[in-house]
Amino acid sequence: MSDDLSLRPGGPADASEVLRLLDSATAWLVARGRTGQWGTEPASTDPRRITQAQAWATGGGLWLAELAGRPVGALVVGAATGYVPPATEPELYVNLLVTDRAYGGRGIGDRLLAHAADLARQRGVGLLRVDCYAGGDGALVRWYERQGFVRTEPFTVERPGREPWPGQVLARRVA
């Protein structure tokens, strides 16, 4: 992990940075033929994703990881999304975790998830959950497992006119 990586809360002006990070990650996935997760089009051209990024930036749960003042990762925490089974106890939910793939291998995602666990502890919550794309070769699910998460419920998001989106909820206990 880079020692110069810093975390800061995000705000309304950071919606464009979230979209830039999503665009970068989508381009990286597309270049590797991994289009099932986020498709092929940039988030910054999708009205639904633009609205979502604005909501994240104004919702109070956005955190940005920065190297030399440049955002290289984003974390959004809050309530679980409506398409996943509800938790049976209080939780903190990771709504978004995205990193700039140009800085891969620096532990940015690890650091953001550690921060999410710290936020859960500060709130007196013992459960951290996340959902992710479970299609393809399952690499993303395995990455979360390496971060200490355990698979809980699989789910599917139906998308009219498109293939269903396979997802996996994962949970991690926070001491």
Side-chain angles (χ1 to χ4, degrees):
M1 179 173 3
S2 176
D3 291 336
D4 7 338
L5 186 70
S6 62
L7 301 181
R8 70 166 175 86
D14 294 311
S16 62
E17 289 297 339
V18 171
L19 289 167
R20 181 187 61 77
L21 289 165
L22 287 168
D23 286 353
S24 170
T26 300
W28 184 86
L29 289 165
V30 168
R32 284 151 185 79
R34 300 168 85 77
T35 60
Q37 182 173 341
W38 286 337
T40 59
E41 299 303 314
S44 61
T45 64
D46 180 343
R48 184 187 67 80
R49 297 293 268 173
I50 293 167
T51 299
Q52 188 177 47
Q54 291 168 341
W56 286 331
T58 59
L62 173 62
W63 289 85
L64 294 174
E66 295 184 331
L67 283 171
R70 175 180 172 78
V72 294
L75 166 76
V76 177
V77 295
T81 52
Y83 54 78
V84 300
T88 58
E89 65 183 273
E91 70 174 339
L92 186 62
Y93 202 87
V94 175
N95 301 108
L96 175 71
L97 179 68
V98 61
T99 62
D100 186 331
R101 298 307 305 157
Y103 296 90
R106 294 190 179 201
I108 296 166
D110 304 358
R111 176 85 179 272
L112 286 166
L113 284 178
H115 185 66
D118 288 343
L119 291 170
R121 280 186 209 92
Q122 290 168 15
R123 297 174 188 191
V125 174
L127 180 64
L128 184 63
R129 287 197 314 157
V130 65
D131 71 81
C132 70
Y133 179 66
D137 62 4
L140 187 55
V141 172
R142 289 192 306 278
W143 183 85
Y144 278 107
E145 289 175 326
R146 288 192 302 274
Q147 306 308 310
F149 286 83
V150 176
R151 295 177 202 212
T152 59
E153 305 89 1
F155 64 95
T156 302
V157 176
E158 296 298 331
R159 304 182 304 174
R162 296 168 48 199
E163 292 290 317
W165 192 88
Q168 176 68 54
V169 179
L170 298 104
R172 179 174 149 193
R173 288 275 158 213
V174 179

